[in-house]
Amino acid sequence: MSDTNQRIADIVNTNDVVLFMKGTPLFPQCGFSSRAVAILDHLGVQYESVDVLQDMEIRQGIKSFSDWPTIPQLYVKGEFVGGSDIMMEMFEAGELQQLVTDAGVASAS
């Protein structure tokens, strides 16, 4: 496993919820990342974010790690969930709330 893949695996496996995004939750750098943050904030869960614009190795590596071509990317309990469109569909259907509840994800305090 490459160093980049190992770094990504460590991030994904040591945080219950991770959002790989462009920018930060306070300053998203694209509309899709902004929508993903809004969904997670609405759910009220604790999550870690990784700004892929700050690390080109992570930016490229996450795409091959998940076999998903776009960013943002959401992981819950080490499992890839999807990008902002999938997050939105799951959120609207109540599936994303159920997923984080079933996974025992901590609420943001």
Side-chain angles (χ1 to χ4, degrees), residues 44-63:
V45 296
Q46 283 184 342
Y47 64 95
E48 183 66 34
S49 66
V50 177
D51 181 359
V52 300
L53 299 177
Q54 298 299 315
D55 190 327
M56 285 301 133
E57 288 181 3
I58 295 288
R59 184 176 184 173
Q60 293 308 313
I62 192 63
K63 295 174 185 180

Side-chain angles (χ1 to χ4, degrees), residues 37-91:
V37 166
I39 291 168
L40 291 174
D41 287 348
H42 187 80
L43 292 176
V45 296
Q46 283 184 342
Y47 64 95
E48 183 66 34
S49 66
V50 177
D51 181 359
V52 300
L53 299 177
Q54 298 299 315
D55 190 327
M56 285 301 133
E57 288 181 3
I58 295 288
R59 184 176 184 173
Q60 293 308 313
I62 192 63
K63 295 174 185 180
S64 60
F65 183 84
S66 63
D67 197 24
W68 191 260
T70 59
I71 295 165
Q73 294 186 12
L74 178 69
Y75 289 80
V76 175
K77 294 284 187 166
E79 297 293 321
F80 176 61
V81 176
S84 68
D85 289 345
I86 290 172
M87 287 176 68
M88 188 60 137
E89 289 172 16
M90 290 179 71
F91 176 73

Side-chain angles (χ1 to χ4, degrees), residues 23-41:
T24 66
L26 289 177
F27 296 103
Q29 297 296 309
C30 79
F32 297 110
S33 290
S34 180
R35 180 167 48 171
V37 166
I39 291 168
L40 291 174
D41 287 348

